[in-house]
Structure formats: structure tokens, C-alpha cells
């Protein structure tokens, strides 16, 4: 974490992380993923490209997450059921979207920055949708922990994905 750097991820790294994540979301070939995140970012690559590709799910790639008015409209036009984003982008989409723009949405997955309580409440109040927040680092290919429909707790990044070894180490102070 911290300053940008190049991280080499092998096919085996990405496939292993896919295997850890795919059972957590019931995304099927009937779903439609809208990926507005850049695919050069590990979150955009795994969530927006590889996950739907390996599951046989249509995935629509949009070139910029900054088009706050256009993206909710696009959700409606393509019948998006899954959207990946960051707190900042999701907050802005919710502010500009008509409630019907997201009528088919089943999964909203957030990462790359902490989701605020205001954003969580905005999505729940306006659209009846929970945001499933996760945590990752590129070096981990990228998902380390994620909330999902069967285990979610607001204000957290969820449980560790399967197969991770972990331990807690005491720190002075």
C-alpha cells in the first residue's frame, strides 16, 4: 500500500483469488455486470472482467467512473445487476440516479476506499440496496476480505476469503 508501484501478478495468482471470491457472490449468466473501474487496477480487473468472464456473465466495460449522470442511466439501459465502485463514485451515482435506474441491481460491491455511513444509508434509503464492502491489496491479487449476502456487517470489510493464513501480533501501545 502507499505510493504506486508495479506488482507482478501471475495467472495462478488471479485464478486463486477468483476461486476464493466466486462462491461469495451468486453471480450467474443471467446477471449483467457494469464495470466502470479501470482494468489496469486489480479491483477492476478481477471484479469487473475476470469474475464475470469465468462465470459466463455478460460484462459491460465503461471507460470512466467519473460520469456520474451517465452511469446510472447505463445501469437502466443494460439492465445491470452488479456494479463495482468506490465510496466516492457510488455516493455520486446515488445522488444523481433515478430510483428506477437501479431497479434490477442485486449486488453493489465497493472497495479501494472506506465506505462511509452516509453512502451506505443513501443506497439503502433510495434503492433498498446494501453495499458489500471489501478490502484488498494488489499484492494479494487483490481481494483479502469482503462482505457478501450471507455474511455482512456494515462498517467492516467483511471476513477473510477462504484459504488465507492469518495471525494477530501484539503491537506496543
Amino acid at each position: 500500500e502507499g505510493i504506486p508501484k508495479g506488482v507482478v501478478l501471475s495467472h495462478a495468482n488471479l485464478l486463486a483469488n477468483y476461486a476464493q471470491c466466486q462462491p461469495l457472490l451468486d453471480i450467474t449468466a443471467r446477471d449483467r455486470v457494469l464495470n466502470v473501474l479501470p482494468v489496469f487496477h486489480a479491483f477492476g480487473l478481477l471484479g469487473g472482467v475476470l469474475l464475470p468472464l469465468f462465470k459466463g456473465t455478460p460484462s459491460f466495460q465503461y471507460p470512466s467512473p467519473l460520469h456520474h449522470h451517465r452511469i446510472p442511466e447505463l445501469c437502466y439501459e443494460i439492465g445491470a445487476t452488479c456494479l463495482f465502485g468506490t465510496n466516492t463514485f457510488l455516493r455520486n451515482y446515488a445522488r444523481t440516479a433515478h430510483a428506477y435506474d437501479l431497479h434490477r441491481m442485486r449486488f453493489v460491491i465497493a472497495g479501494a476506499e472506506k465506505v462511509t455511513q452516509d453512502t451506505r444509508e443513501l443506497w439503502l434509503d433510495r434503492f433498498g440496496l446494501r453495499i458489500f464492502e471489501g478490502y484488498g491489496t494488489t499484492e494479494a491479487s487483490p481481494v483479502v476480505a469482503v462482505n457478501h449476502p450471507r455474511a455482512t456487517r456494515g462498517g467492516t470489510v467483511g471476513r477473510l476469503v477462504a484459504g488465507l493464513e492469518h495471525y494477530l501480533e501484539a503491537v506496543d501501545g
Side-chain angles (χ1 to χ4, degrees):
E1 296 183 2
I3 60 171
K5 60 204 153 297
V7 175
V8 177
L9 297 176
S10 69
H11 292 134
N13 293 136
L14 294 168
L15 287 171
N17 202 220
Y18 163 77
Q20 292 170 310
C21 296
Q22 69 88 16
L24 304 177
L25 296 174
D26 185 27
I27 295 174
T28 71
R30 294 182 309 273
D31 285 299
R32 292 175 173 262
V33 173
L34 176 57
N35 182 35
V36 299
L37 299 173
V39 297
F40 62 78
H41 190 278
F43 181 33
L45 177 63
L46 182 70
V49 177
L50 297 179
L51 180 67
L53 178 69
F54 296 153
K55 284 195 168 244
T57 304
S59 176
F60 299 83
Q61 306 298 311
Y62 190 77
S64 174
L66 301 174
H67 300 158
H68 304 139
H69 294 281
R70 179 68 182 122
I71 289 167
E73 293 171 353
L74 191 57
C75 286
Y76 174 79
E77 290 171 17
I78 68 170
T81 59
C82 181
L83 178 67
F84 294 90
T86 68
N87 179 77
T88 301
F89 299 140
L90 294 174
R91 181 185 63 240
N92 289 330
Y93 304 154
R95 287 179 177 167
T96 61
H98 183 279
Y100 205 68
D101 288 337
L102 305 170
H103 77 285
R104 293 198 59 203
M105 194 65 62
R106 296 187 330 123
F107 300 109
V108 179
I109 298 107
E113 67 178 327
K114 180 178 174 37
V115 177
T116 64
Q117 185 63 26
D118 289 348
T119 301
R120 263 194 297 283
E121 289 172 3
L122 183 59
W123 277 82
L124 194 57
D125 293 346
R126 291 207 60 211
F127 313 112
L129 292 166
R130 287 185 298 175
I131 296 174
F132 298 108
E133 185 174 3
Y135 176 79
T137 64
T138 301
E139 296 84 349
S141 303
V143 181
V144 173
V146 67
N147 281 293
H148 54 89
R150 292 178 308 281
T152 190
R153 186 172 166 198
T156 73
V157 294
R159 296 179 179 175
L160 295 175
V161 294
L164 288 186
E165 293 181 16
H166 60 283
Y167 65 93
L168 297 175
E169 184 175 316
V171 177
D172 291 339

